[in-house]
């Protein structure tokens, strides 16, 4: 592993190599939303993104717990399965849905076998021991079209329910009832936070790539410059809220405010919303001076609304209080949703700057509130994984 001078563990070269599949997968998934996506496209994107993220997360946690003992060939086999999932995205509506499902099943199975070999389970990640959500995916191999996608969604919904509902104590009780020899494996919280942050950086990088690719194919004029600057500022603000004023890649979350089993789904929703925003920004560049089509406008606004809503949940969980949380998030949410509903004639340059203002509001307000605000409105320092207060620059 790569260690700092203080002995703190950082991502290894193997883990960073594994993350290359995340780069490829996020790029492919974002393309599902190009053009004028309908509700079916958005639903399919959400299901496939959650499946891809789940595979990435299982091997990330395996590396987190295993450290130097992680089996290289196990991680590389998982990486290959993730690569097949990414390659299957483009033709999933034609003839590659089966390949995507099979690769997901294999990735989940590989991760499960890795934990069995170690003789451990992770209390903060119950799906390493409880694999009920995999059954609908196996059944889906005998179905096509909407029925297949519905079974995928069912399997992922089961996994999410397990993540939210099953605590470490319940897992321990189940282990005792079944006389299992598995032992609880503690997680390295700072290392996991770094890995989650790196994944979000990958997604933000995809957003930059989408804007750059679209800008390279259109005429450069004042409106395009306006869209480009606005897109850069918007992504800068999202980066700041999640990685400088948040924790584990979740905006406005304080370190240790939530158990890992709740942080992980929130991280997935944040990353998924930013990846969707990436696709919408890429499409919006083509309409710098013209009204943005309704599907693209709604994708822009809805993805940012999801990001802000999760920021609100994280702020509440971090003991900022209802009043402070509402002040931080509610005005921005209102602006974004009104823009989606009413800005029918807005060009991309106008819409992009409106979204920048919405994302800037909580960031500017944080400069006045300080790193954290307690339930009574007084300023309170937040404590990091290492026990030191965060500064939130």
């Amino acid at each position: 592993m790569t260690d700092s001078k203080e002995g703190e563990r950082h991502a290894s070269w193997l883990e960073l190599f594994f993350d290359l599949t995340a780069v490829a997968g996020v790029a492919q998934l974002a393309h599902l939303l190009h053009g004028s996506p309908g509700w079916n496209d958005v639903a399919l994107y959400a299901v496939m993104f959650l499946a891809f993220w789940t595979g990435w997360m299982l091997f990330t946690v395996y590396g987190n717990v295993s450290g130097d003992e992680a089996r290289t060939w196990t991680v590389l086999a998982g990486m290959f399965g993730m690569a097949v999932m990414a390659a299957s995205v483009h033709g999933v509506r034609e003839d590659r849905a089966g390949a995507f499902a099979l690769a997901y099943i294999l990735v989940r199975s590989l991760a499960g076998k890795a934990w069995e070999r170690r003789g451990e389970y992770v209390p903060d990640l119950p799906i390493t021991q409880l694999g009920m959500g995999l059954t609908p995916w196996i059944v889906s191999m005998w179905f096509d079209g909407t029925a297949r996608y519905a079974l995928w969604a069912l399997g992922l919904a089961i996994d999410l329910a397990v993540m939210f509902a099953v605590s470490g104590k319940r897992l321990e009780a189940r282990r005792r009832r079944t006389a299992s020899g598995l032992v609880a494996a503690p997680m390295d919280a700072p290392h996991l936070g770094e890995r989650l942050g790196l994944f979000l950086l990958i997604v933000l990088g995809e957003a930059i790539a989408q804007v750059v690719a679209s800008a390279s194919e259109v005429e450069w004029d004042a409106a395009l410059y306006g869209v480009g600057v606005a897109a850069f500022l918007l992504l800068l603000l999202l980066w700041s809220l999640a990685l400088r004023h948040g924790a584990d890649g979740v905006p406005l979350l304080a370190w240790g405010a939530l158990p890992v089993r709740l942080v992980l789904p929130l991280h997935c929703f944040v990353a998924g919303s930013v990846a969707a925003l990436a696709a919408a920004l890429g499409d919006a560049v083509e309409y710098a001076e013209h009204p943005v089509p309704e599907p693209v406008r709604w994708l822009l606004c809805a993805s940012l609304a999801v990001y802000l809503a999760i920021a609100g949940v994280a702020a509440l969980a971090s003991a900022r209080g209802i009043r402070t949380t509402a002040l931080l998030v509610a005005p921005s949410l209102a602006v974004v949703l009104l823009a989606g509903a009413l800005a029918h004639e807005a060009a991309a340059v106008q819409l992009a700057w409106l979204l920048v203002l919405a994302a800037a509001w909580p960031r500017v307000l944080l400069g006045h509130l300080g790193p954290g605000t307690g339930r009574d409105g007084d300023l309170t320092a937040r404590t990091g994984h290492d026990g030191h207060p965060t500064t939130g620059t």
Side-chain angles (χ1 to χ4, degrees):
M1 304 302 295
T2 303
D3 298 325
S4 67
K5 293 181 180 180
E6 295 79 13
E8 183 177 299
R9 178 179 160 213
H10 293 291
S12 68
W13 291 117
L14 177 62
E15 289 173 311
L16 294 175
F17 185 54
F18 177 81
D19 281 352
L20 294 179
T21 59
V23 176
V26 170
Q28 291 298 313
L29 288 162
H31 282 289
L32 288 174
L33 299 176
H34 276 306
S36 295
W39 289 110
N40 291 339
D41 300 313
V42 174
L44 181 59
Y45 162 81
V47 169
M48 296 184 70
F49 187 94
L50 181 52
F52 187 85
W53 178 90
T54 298
W56 174 86
M57 175 266 300
L58 285 170
F59 277 92
T60 293
V61 173
Y62 169 71
N64 175 271
V65 171
S66 302
D68 291 331
E69 297 178 357
R71 296 193 175 193
T72 300
W73 286 109
T74 296
V75 175
L76 293 178
M79 182 180 179
F80 179 79
M82 297 284 291
V84 173
M85 290 176 68
S88 303
V89 171
H90 182 70
V92 72
R93 293 187 182 90
E94 288 78 37
D95 57 354
R96 297 181 189 169
F100 184 89
L102 182 59
Y104 177 78
I105 292 168
L106 292 176
V107 167
R108 284 290 302 267
S109 300
L110 279 170
K113 290 295 182 182
W115 290 111
E116 287 181 13
R117 282 195 298 268
R118 289 187 60 82
E120 294 175 326
Y121 71 96
V122 184
D124 284 322
L125 190 62
I127 62 173
T128 59
Q129 187 179 7
L130 305 176
M132 299 91 75
L134 196 56
T135 302
W137 282 82
I138 297 172
V139 175
S140 76
M141 297 299 294
W142 285 270
F143 290 84
D144 292 310
T146 303
R148 170 177 276 170
Y149 305 147
L151 285 167
W152 293 358
L154 175 61
L156 294 168
I158 293 172
D159 282 340
L160 282 176
V162 169
M163 288 287 291
F164 281 114
V166 179
S167 66
K169 291 181 179 179
R170 291 181 63 182
L171 275 178
E172 175 64 18
R174 179 181 184 273
R175 185 188 69 81
R176 290 174 178 172
R177 287 196 306 269
T178 58
S180 170
L182 298 177
V183 298
M187 296 179 67
D188 185 332
H191 174 264
L192 180 64
E194 179 185 65
R195 300 285 284 120
L196 295 174
L198 287 172
F199 187 92
L200 188 61
L201 280 177
I202 288 171
V203 179
L204 288 167
E206 174 58 23
I208 293 174
Q210 294 276 347
V211 174
V212 169
S214 296
S216 68
E217 298 177 356
V218 298
E219 182 181 353
W220 287 24
D221 53 22
L224 180 64
Y225 296 143
V227 173
V229 172
F232 177 78
L233 289 177
L234 178 59
L235 296 174
L236 172 62
L237 288 165
L238 300 187
W239 165 79
S240 179
L241 289 171
L243 298 178
R244 302 192 75 178
H245 294 273
D248 299 318
V250 179
L252 304 187
L253 180 67
W255 294 112
L258 290 172
V260 172
R261 64 189 177 88
L262 300 184
V263 169
L264 290 176
L266 292 181
H267 175 271
C268 177
F269 302 154
V270 168
S273 66
V274 175
L277 182 67
L281 285 173
D283 286 336
V285 168
E286 301 177 16
Y287 302 93
E289 295 182 282
H290 308 287
V292 178
E294 184 176 3
V296 177
R297 184 181 77 246
W298 266 115
L299 185 60
L300 274 171
C301 296
S303 55
L304 183 55
V306 170
Y307 181 98
L308 292 170
I310 295 171
V313 172
L316 275 177
S318 302
R320 287 191 179 272
I322 295 176
R323 183 177 61 181
T324 301
T325 298
L327 186 61
L328 279 168
V329 176
S332 299
L333 262 177
V335 168
V336 170
L337 293 176
L338 285 173
L342 302 178
H344 303 289
E345 300 301 320
V349 64
Q350 299 165 330
L351 192 58
W353 280 102
L354 194 60
L355 298 185
V356 168
L357 292 176
W361 169 256
R363 175 61 187 86
V364 171
L365 198 59
L366 284 170
H368 298 283
L369 293 177
T373 303
R375 296 185 190 280
D376 58 357
D378 296 329
L379 295 183
T380 57
R382 292 293 169 219
T383 301
H385 288 305
D386 58 358
H388 299 296
T390 57
T391 57
T393 55

